[in-house]
Amino acid sequence: MMPTDAEREPLLSTRSRDDFESQDGQLKPAIPNHLTGEAFDNVPVHKRKLGLTSAVFLIFNGMIGTGIFATPSVILRSAGSVGMAFTMWLIGAVVAATGSAVYLEYGTTLPRNGGEKNYLEYVYRNPRFLATCVYAMYGMFLGWGSANAVIFGEYLLHAFNVEATTYNVRGIAFGCLTVSFIMHSCFMTAGLRLQNTLGFFKLLILISIVVTGMAHLAGVPGFELKADAEVPDNLQWSKLWEGSGNGATAFVTGLYNVIWSFIGYNNANYVLSEIRDPVRTIKRANPIALAFITVTYLLANIAYFGAVSKNDILHSGRIVAALFFRNIFGQDTERILSLMIALSTWGNNLASFFTHGRLIQELGREGILPWSSFFASDRPFRTPIAGLLVQWAVSSVHVLLPPPGDAYLFVLSLSSYPSSLINTFISAGLLYIHLRPEAISALGWNPPFRAYTAAIWFFFASNVFLVVVPFVPPASGYQVFEHIPYYLHCIVALVIGFLGAVYWYVKVVYLPHRGGYELKAEDVEEDGISRTVLRRVPL
């Protein structure tokens, strides 16, 4: 949509406390935006604690979580064949690559905490505050860390040879969420060190799967299958496409699981205000992390299919990585590796808490949430404790509420579907900027990184597909969930967005009209960082 003349200034201020006036009286940044991005947001230098290594591992931790260790069985069941499963992984990699390009252009242009919130606000300016209110509902009421916590519980129990039940899995998952909350709320430095350590640790696990699988396929002595393991024939061409064709809904269910495994490529976008030299850092960190993860994921799948039979994968639930090590190294190694995988999923959980706690804090700083000063504050530990508390509470509900058997897939789908909705609007907004030259001058768009328009089109089309197809009934004989309707996660996600629109109408339209006032945004300074307060101005 074209902005009005009154809206041609960017919504997100580029003025820094370090700005100075030149001799001609013009305000100029001490550090040009296009060089570092630090002048974009008025964040004190001492608050920028993250460098390239932390940014890379933030993305690693966001991407390497439950997906590559827990979803291959769901993906294979949805695909029907090994060949179709590989196809899904390749499509997911392309979606992630194009999405990464989209987020790089947004992130380098608007290098500020908050991620998609900033981008939606920047492009969708009318009706005022609507995009922020809808996005706020997703930020507040989606438990981004819940799926990882469930997998942590399952792998931990498997490591100690304890039968997994509904109650002990959920109890451990709740404990995982609680410890993550405490670490990032009260001990941020220690939490970051633990997060980076687990990120490095999970890389070693993933690399060990790849190396072990390639050694087995190459016939290296010591990497043969154990005598009691079923010999797989998954990689034979005659078997590769056997079983394909479970319908569009099954295909999308599998693709959601693949995309979930790649989610996190935009993790650094949520914390750009805390990254040193954010433009240069994200331009390096994002491609490094995504390229490494993509290659490693594809090789890990080859390793799985080369060492575990199709039947075992289909019936493995979410412990296919443990079966992989059992088939090659035996039962004891399987349990040791299960413990390692459990720890790696905890690292993903920590990364999720770290980024989304700051997302909620940024929503508080926009003044649109109730009790905004509470959510915007970083007292008493200089951490976004209110946002972290919300993430802990909502994720806990998501872990404890869904029926047994459906908990993991439901919370995963409930997280993935809103992401597809948001990415549809994010990519549509960038397409508008690319295809309407007048929008560039109107919006003040000057990106240090520019995505290819074809990549934006692909990302947009893929997300539209992921939004629409889940409403198509699954093919006969295929069941998405065990106890709930196949479309329930879509309905819940849409209801959350609708509640955001209702909240916007009440707060921004109905109450001001009834009370005879209008809302005016006013910047105030708190905790060394500016935030917005919505003042009631009588008409």
Side-chain angles (χ1 to χ4, degrees):
M1 64 184 66
M2 287 298 297
T4 63
D5 291 339
E7 295 170 325
R8 292 184 184 276
E9 290 300 316
L11 292 183
L12 305 179
S13 174
T14 59
R15 179 168 180 166
S16 167
R17 67 176 61 205
D18 295 324
D19 286 350
F20 65 91
E21 287 189 1
S22 62
Q23 292 182 349
D24 60 3
Q26 296 297 314
L27 190 69
K28 296 181 179 179
I31 306 174
N33 283 352
H34 69 280
L35 294 181
T36 69
E38 290 186 8
F40 183 87
D41 204 6
N42 60 342
V43 175
V45 174
H46 71 272
K47 286 184 176 287
R48 294 187 179 273
K49 299 180 179 180
L50 306 180
L52 177 62
T53 301
S54 290
V56 169
F57 277 103
L58 193 62
I59 298 171
F60 277 156
N61 267 317
M63 294 181 72
I64 309 174
T66 61
I68 192 61
F69 303 127
T71 60
S73 61
V74 178
I75 294 167
L76 181 59
R77 182 167 65 90
S78 301
S81 70
V82 173
M84 187 59 68
F86 274 125
T87 302
M88 288 180 178
W89 281 98
L90 289 171
I91 293 174
V94 176
V95 172
T98 55
S100 176
V102 168
Y103 277 89
L104 266 178
E105 179 164 344
Y106 274 118
T108 55
T109 311
L110 308 173
R112 176 180 178 175
N113 277 9
E116 300 100 333
K117 179 196 78 70
N118 299 329
Y119 317 147
L120 292 169
E121 286 177 345
Y122 199 92
V123 179
Y124 299 99
R125 304 185 178 196
N126 290 313
R128 193 182 182 205
F129 300 125
L130 176 59
T132 307
C133 289
V134 173
Y135 184 78
M137 286 296 164
Y138 288 122
M140 295 287 286
F141 294 113
L142 290 181
W144 303 98
S146 50
N148 299 320
V150 170
I151 296 302
F152 173 80
E154 292 185 349
Y155 267 99
L156 190 66
L157 291 169
H158 187 75
F160 290 99
N161 199 29
V162 177
E163 181 183 358
T165 66
T166 299
Y167 299 105
N168 58 17
V169 169
R170 293 184 178 186
I172 293 173
F174 178 77
C176 172
L177 294 171
T178 302
V179 174
S180 295
F181 164 69
I182 293 172
M183 290 296 294
H184 278 322
S185 295
C186 308
F187 310 101
M188 188 182 76
T189 300
L192 276 174
R193 288 174 180 169
L194 176 62
Q195 183 173 294
N196 286 349
T197 300
L198 291 176
F200 180 73
F201 185 64
K202 69 172 68 177
L203 278 178
L204 292 180
I205 298 173
L206 194 53
I207 291 171
S208 70
I209 291 175
V210 171
V211 171
T212 300
M214 296 306 105
H216 165 67
L217 290 173
V220 176
F223 291 90
E224 303 89 354
L225 293 181
K226 293 299 180 183
D228 58 344
E230 183 179 348
V231 178
D233 56 4
N234 300 315
L235 301 180
Q236 295 179 14
W237 183 258
S238 60
K239 300 288 185 179
L240 198 61
W241 302 97
E242 191 176 273
S244 299
N246 281 334
T249 302
F251 184 84
V252 170
T253 300
L255 200 55
Y256 268 139
N257 281 265
V258 172
I259 290 174
W260 171 258
S261 301
F262 282 100
I263 282 178
Y265 56 80
N266 60 341
N267 236 23
N269 288 60
Y270 294 110
V271 295
L272 288 174
S273 294
E274 300 177 47
I275 292 178
R276 296 186 297 272
D277 195 353
V279 170
R280 182 170 181 264
T281 300
I282 193 176
K283 285 171 69 175
R284 296 168 64 194
N286 200 299
I288 289 171
L290 183 60
F292 180 87
I293 294 299
T294 298
V295 173
T296 309
Y297 276 6
L298 294 175
L299 292 177
N301 273 280
I302 293 174
Y304 289 148
F305 290 123
V308 185
S309 70
K310 183 178 179 179
N311 183 62
D312 279 351
I313 293 175
L314 288 172
H315 293 88
S316 65
R318 290 178 286 272
I319 56 170
V320 63
L323 295 183
F324 169 81
F325 284 107
R326 182 200 66 185
N327 284 1
I328 296 178
F329 297 119
Q331 190 77 27
D332 293 337
T333 304
E334 174 190 0
R335 291 175 184 171
I336 293 172
L337 267 296
S338 293
L339 177 60
M340 294 182 178
I341 293 170
L343 292 174
S344 80
T345 60
W346 185 26
N348 186 273
N349 187 265
L350 284 165
S352 176
F353 263 82
F354 184 84
T355 55
H356 288 93
R358 280 152 180 78
L359 171 61
I360 294 174
Q361 182 183 50
E362 198 64 25
L363 288 167
R365 285 178 177 154
E366 286 299 312
I368 204 68
L369 294 179
W371 311 292
S372 287
S373 60
F374 169 69
F375 289 108
S377 176
D378 63 359
R379 298 185 181 125
F381 301 108
R382 293 195 174 277
T383 60
I385 191 168
L388 292 167
L389 178 63
V390 170
Q391 272 297 290
W392 170 81
V394 174
S395 295
S396 297
V397 170
H398 285 194
V399 163
L400 300 174
L401 191 60
D406 288 328
Y408 173 76
L409 187 56
F410 178 78
V411 297
L412 185 151
S413 300
L414 185 57
S415 299
S416 299
Y417 191 81
S419 293
S420 296
L421 281 171
I422 293 167
N423 285 334
T424 299
F425 286 98
I426 290 289
S427 52
L430 197 55
L431 278 175
Y432 165 76
I433 292 174
H434 275 235
L435 299 177
R436 299 288 296 273
E438 64 273 20
I440 296 177
S441 58
L443 296 176
W445 197 254
N446 184 29
F449 173 90
R450 190 174 177 87
Y452 288 114
T453 303
I456 306 171
W457 269 116
F458 181 88
F459 190 59
F460 171 73
S462 63
N463 280 285
V464 170
F465 178 77
L466 292 171
V467 166
V468 173
V469 173
F471 286 100
V472 177
S476 177
Y478 178 80
Q479 189 174 356
V480 178
F481 301 111
E482 294 181 20
H483 306 290
I484 56 180
Y486 66 91
Y487 52 80
L488 183 62
H489 62 288
C490 306
I491 298 299
V492 173
L494 292 173
V495 167
I496 292 174
F498 175 74
L499 291 176
V502 171
Y503 174 73
W504 165 82
Y505 179 78
V506 172
K507 183 178 181 67
V508 179
V509 179
Y510 176 73
L511 291 180
H513 177 74
R514 184 177 180 182
Y517 63 87
E518 64 177 346
L519 296 176
K520 290 287 187 181
E522 178 182 317
D523 290 337
V524 298
E525 192 86 6
E526 286 186 5
D527 303 326
I529 298 178
S530 66
R531 75 176 184 89
T532 301
V533 175
L534 298 182
R535 304 290 189 192
R536 297 181 180 182
V537 180
L539 295 174

